[in-house]
Amino acid sequence: MASYLQIADDEKGHELDLFCVPRHYENDLDKVIIPHGLIMDRTERLARDIIRDMGGHHIVALCVLKGGYKFFADLLDYIKALNQNSDKSVPLTVDFIRVKSYCNDKSTNSVKVIGGDELSNLSGKVSPLDIVETGRTMQTLLSLLSECNPKMVKVVSLLVKRTPRSSGYRPDYIGFEVPDAFLVGYALDYNEYFRDLSHICILNDQAKEKYKV
Ligand code: IMP
Ligand code: MG
């Protein structure tokens, strides 16, 4: 089973004043729950674990947009650093896919998938995504990928939510297991806002109203 850093349900987080947060979001957030530096440190270790397990396979890294773009870029930077500083290295290509399932802070029950031109080649794929809540998005993507018969597919999610809504699906690699709250920042959005925030934070109720569609 994948190991992960657990953020407890009673985690108090950190006061916003202790970190740099854009002025336009200052009144929208409760606490910083995962500071950017900690995200980076955990991502560096995930890169090492992935390279260790992939052996010599060519990796197609599939970015799941939009929420996964920061994690994808940083994870690949760490994989590149390992590739250029050790005796063993694995060839790496990239592809992008877009999925959409959320409106406000709720899943809409339909997962739309757009894009992905290299899905059908036979390499090992690593698919980094932002967060697994019910697991529905990833299960939809996995059934799509399996139609292309890849040699292997590994899923790495920065976050997995502890929630009774979970289908039981667990990714192969997990950065953090987080409480059942709506989180934003580091490319995770609420109706497209908060992707431009470096830290992962808890959204307050006032902001849920303010940015509601
Ligand atoms: P799932 O299909 O229920 O596993 O939900 C996964 C998708 O829902 C993610 O890729 C996000 O786009 C979105 N999502 C779920 N929880 C959150 C959250 O706390 N903040 C932001 N987006 C979320
Ligand atoms: Mg979203």
Side-chain angles (χ1 to χ4, degrees), residues 64-68 99-102 104-107 111 129-140 159 161 163 165-167 169 178-185 187-191 195 201:
V64 184
L65 294 169
K66 296 179 186 174
V99 297
K100 189 165 171 57
S101 61
Y102 259 62
N104 297 323
D105 60 347
K106 296 280 179 313
S107 169
V111 184
L129 78 159
D130 53 353
I131 184 164
V132 169
E133 187 176 68
T134 61
R136 208 160 33 226
T137 303
M138 202 54 228
Q139 283 168 319
T140 306
L159 309 173
K161 218 179 258 190
T163 169
R165 294 182 301 288
S166 165
S167 66
Y169 169 75
V178 294
D180 195 2
F182 198 80
L183 305 176
V184 292
L188 276 89
D189 74 308
Y190 178 79
N191 293 333
R195 297 198 200 272
C201 300

Side-chain angles (χ1 to χ4, degrees), residues 3-213:
S3 49
Y4 49 82
L5 197 157
Q6 180 157 0
I7 311 283
D9 284 338
D10 60 358
E11 167 67 48
K12 290 184 189 63
H14 312 281
E15 293 299 331
L16 289 183
D17 292 352
L18 299 172
F19 293 93
C20 293
V21 167
R23 292 300 284 269
H24 53 274
Y25 292 144
E26 267 177 359
N27 299 322
D28 302 330
L29 306 165
D30 263 353
K31 289 280 167 65
V32 172
I33 189 113
I34 314 178
H36 184 254
L38 183 56
I39 300 172
M40 297 303 279
D41 290 337
R42 181 74 191 116
T43 303
E44 183 176 18
R45 178 55 197 249
L46 288 171
R48 197 172 103 182
D49 293 348
I50 291 166
I51 286 286
R52 179 199 58 207
D53 298 349
M54 289 304 281
H57 285 281
H58 171 166
I59 300 178
V60 180
L62 180 64
C63 177
V64 184
L65 294 169
K66 296 179 186 174
Y69 93 89
K70 280 296 297 168
F71 179 49
F72 178 85
D74 289 332
L75 182 69
L76 259 61
D77 279 351
Y78 283 122
I79 290 179
K80 269 164 47 191
L82 288 171
N83 264 341
Q84 64 202 15
N85 290 302
S86 60
D87 295 333
K88 269 184 16 190
S89 68
V90 287
L92 185 67
T93 54
V94 297
D95 198 2
F96 299 86
I97 200 166
R98 172 139 188 234
V99 297
K100 189 165 171 57
S101 61
Y102 259 62
C103 182
N104 297 323
D105 60 347
K106 296 280 179 313
S107 169
T108 58
N109 283 331
S110 83
V111 184
K112 289 196 197 85
V113 181
I114 312 161
D117 52 29
E118 238 188 290
L119 295 184
S120 58
N121 77 28
L122 293 173
S123 313
K125 291 188 172 55
V126 172
S127 181
L129 78 159
D130 53 353
I131 184 164
V132 169
E133 187 176 68
T134 61
R136 208 160 33 226
T137 303
M138 202 54 228
Q139 283 168 319
T140 306
L141 258 181
L142 280 174
S143 64
L144 207 108
L145 286 173
S146 72
E147 288 169 18
C148 310
N149 300 316
K151 276 206 189 106
M152 90 165 93
V153 179
K154 296 282 183 197
V155 176
V156 47
S157 186
L158 179 64
L159 309 173
V160 170
K161 218 179 258 190
R162 267 189 311 281
T163 169
R165 294 182 301 288
S166 165
S167 66
Y169 169 75
R170 301 289 281 189
D172 301 290
Y173 305 91
I174 299 169
F176 302 85
E177 195 189 67
V178 294
D180 195 2
F182 198 80
L183 305 176
V184 292
Y186 194 68
L188 276 89
D189 74 308
Y190 178 79
N191 293 333
E192 298 302 326
Y193 290 94
F194 303 101
R195 297 198 200 272
D196 56 335
L197 168 69
S198 298
H199 314 290
I200 294 179
C201 300
I202 300 188
L203 196 64
N204 65 31
D205 292 338
Q206 204 182 306
K208 284 187 188 172
E209 277 307 309
K210 180 171 159 190
Y211 298 102
K212 204 171 200 139
V213 292

